[in-house]
Amino acid sequence: MKIDLSQFRQTFLQESADHIASMETSLLQLRSAPQDVELLNSIFRSAHSIKGGAGSFGFTNLAGFTHSLENLLERLRSLEMQASDEVIDALLRSVDVLRGLLDADGDAAMPADGLEVNARIEALMAAEP
């Protein structure tokens, strides 16, 4: 028996918008508390929820982009990397990319700014030991 997920699509999009708003608020708070592991955990959980739902709905670009965020956030919350201003700025830019993908109903092509932010995230992770 195949389950029709389309009935849950709008709920996913709304919940993801809420997660993005929460991520943005927490990232702004992180500027004044860059080693606050609870803030990092909260941001990670939001990204993880978005990625999981995106995967369920087949939103490949949204899931892939959010997976990159998860990788960076995992390194931050395990204290392998510092939440520098540069890292936080990249994460804040990623919030804008996520919003854009959701505004396009989740299954849009990756916009140029998304590719740029993803490359920046990869570069930041490569630069850290």
Side-chain angles (χ1 to χ4, degrees), residues 20-122:
I20 291 169
S22 175
M23 287 173 68
E24 184 172 43
T25 299
S26 294
L27 284 166
L28 293 172
Q29 293 172 350
L30 195 62
R31 285 192 183 277
S32 60
Q35 294 186 355
D36 187 330
V37 176
E38 286 309 309
L39 276 174
L40 291 166
N41 285 336
S42 173
I43 298 164
F44 179 88
R45 282 189 303 272
S46 290
H48 185 73
S49 294
I50 294 168
K51 183 192 82 173
S56 295
F57 287 100
F59 300 155
T60 308
N61 288 323
L62 181 57
F65 184 78
T66 311
H67 182 70
S68 293
L69 290 179
E70 272 188 329
N71 290 339
L72 176 58
L73 290 164
E74 181 58 37
R75 296 206 37 212
L76 292 170
R77 67 187 197 147
S78 68
L79 303 177
E80 290 177 41
M81 285 180 69
Q82 297 286 323
S84 66
D85 286 342
E86 184 178 17
V87 170
I88 294 169
D89 286 343
L91 290 169
L92 284 167
R93 287 187 61 205
S94 73
V95 165
D96 294 334
V97 172
L98 290 172
R99 259 195 201 107
L101 289 168
L102 282 181
D103 287 347
D105 223 13
D107 56 359
M110 182 60 69
D113 61 333
L115 295 172
E116 180 184 313
V117 172
N118 196 54
R120 185 69 197 132
I121 288 169
E122 295 296 327

